[in-house]
Amino acid sequence: MAKGRTQLIAGAVIVACLVLIGPTAPSSSPFVRSGAVDAAVDVVPNRVMTWNLCNPCEGSNVDRASEIASYAPQVVGLQEACVGDVERIKDYLEDLYGLTYRVEFGSVLRSWGRCGGAPWSPGGYGQAILSAAPMRDLVTAEYPDGGSEDRGYMAVTTTVDGRPLRVFNTHFAERRQETVRAGQARVLAAEVARHDRAVVLGDFNAVPDAPELAPMWALAVDVDPRCGPSSTGDCEPTTDWQSTFDYVFLRGLVPTGHAVRPSSYSDHHVLYGDLDAS
């Protein structure tokens, strides 16, 4: 009997360890690699994507990696992203799909409630950019007024469609904070205007004809040629509540295609665009 109880206890300990290790295993772990697909996915070199991951939301990083791999963008801007989650997503993309990305993080909050971690060292929460090509000249900035939560933008120079391109990623203040968003748009537009060619990815928390987005429309177009600041613009909803909040703004670039794809893993849809950066 004692031997049997000992074996049961040992078995329970092993199962508990597997449960704890599995979701957070590094890329070298056999628990990750055992599910790897045989064929690698090719990155689409002229594709950029924006996606608000929705935090806190229930969804595994394996599923999030699968969603990104489905579209295999050259560059993806993430919002509401925990640093640890992004790092694991990056590992899963490489281990399961053969997609190798670099990562840069923007200004982030320290948020135990959203990202966990030790009480004295909470996880980082904010924005991130994944790029298949190297990134340089990282800039991170917080807006002078973030609204109900600190918000900011980040920017990198990387390669899209074979050419260097400045890429911005941002997350504007929450809904019902129109005045705050207007100030954020002015700050961001001033930075974007310094570049003849740029992509601006993000969750702007504002519909296309919202007055606060006027500074962005004045210098860029949406990746969807039908979408614009007019109330008659044909802009596809990018959220589960049927609002268009997410954009791929283009400055000095020509869109060749785009798609909005609902996701089971976030209350924001995936939005990607294909560009002619020549």
Side-chain angles (χ1 to χ4, degrees):
M1 290 292 291
K3 181 179 180 181
R5 285 196 298 270
T6 300
Q7 290 174 334
L8 286 174
I9 292 171
V13 170
I14 292 172
V15 170
C17 289
L18 291 178
V19 170
L20 290 173
I21 292 172
T24 57
S27 59
S28 59
S29 168
F31 300 108
V32 174
R33 292 188 181 276
S34 63
V37 296
D38 294 331
V41 177
D42 292 329
V43 167
V44 182
N46 66 330
R47 177 167 294 171
V48 297
M49 170 178 150
T50 185
W51 191 25
N52 183 314
L53 293 182
C54 180
N55 258 315
C57 279
E58 293 184 4
S60 76
N61 292 317
V62 171
D63 291 333
R64 290 165 170 167
S66 174
E67 193 81 299
I68 294 171
S70 296
Y71 312 107
Q74 174 80 359
V75 174
V76 54
L78 300 173
Q79 305 88 40
E80 294 196 26
C82 294
V83 170
D85 286 338
V86 174
E87 290 172 339
R88 285 187 282 274
I89 290 168
K90 175 179 173 290
D91 285 344
Y92 287 135
L93 283 166
E94 182 169 2
D95 291 338
L96 303 181
Y97 302 99
L99 293 170
T100 301
Y101 286 97
R102 288 82 170 172
V103 62
E104 293 286 2
F105 294 98
S107 55
V108 294
L109 302 172
R110 314 309 296 178
S111 179
W112 184 89
R114 290 181 185 265
C115 299
W120 57 89
S121 181
Y125 166 80
Q127 302 143 43
I129 292 178
L130 295 172
S131 174
M135 292 177 276
R136 58 183 173 85
D137 301 329
L138 169 67
V139 169
T140 66
E142 291 188 13
Y143 293 119
D145 185 355
S148 57
E149 180 179 88
D150 291 343
R151 295 288 167 88
Y153 70 87
M154 62 183 299
V156 300
T157 297
T158 187
T159 302
V160 175
D161 197 22
R163 295 192 60 187
L165 187 64
R166 196 65 174 165
V167 178
F168 291 80
N169 183 25
T170 192
H171 190 187
F172 277 12
E174 296 174 346
R175 288 174 288 177
R176 296 180 294 278
Q177 299 181 67
E178 293 84 355
T179 303
V180 174
R181 289 197 299 274
Q184 294 171 347
R186 287 192 293 270
V187 170
L188 179 61
E191 291 302 313
V192 175
R194 298 175 56 234
H195 303 273
D196 294 331
R197 301 167 66 256
V199 173
V200 187
L201 311 169
D203 173 5
F204 289 78
N205 271 315
V207 295
D209 61 344
E212 61 264 33
L213 289 188
M216 294 302 304
W217 290 118
L219 56 83
V221 298
D222 189 67
V223 72
D224 180 357
R226 301 170 301 173
C227 184
S230 169
S231 59
T232 60
D234 186 13
C235 303
E236 295 179 70
T238 64
T239 65
D240 286 354
W241 55 93
Q242 296 301 301
S243 293
T244 302
F245 278 3
D246 306 87
Y247 300 87
V248 174
F249 283 115
L250 307 178
R251 177 169 170 81
L253 300 163
V254 178
T256 61
H258 82 285
V260 177
R261 296 286 185 260
S263 170
S264 301
Y265 314 117
S266 174
D267 56 1
H268 284 253
H269 304 343
V270 169
L271 169 61
Y272 71 80
D274 296 337
L275 316 177
D276 181 356
S278 60

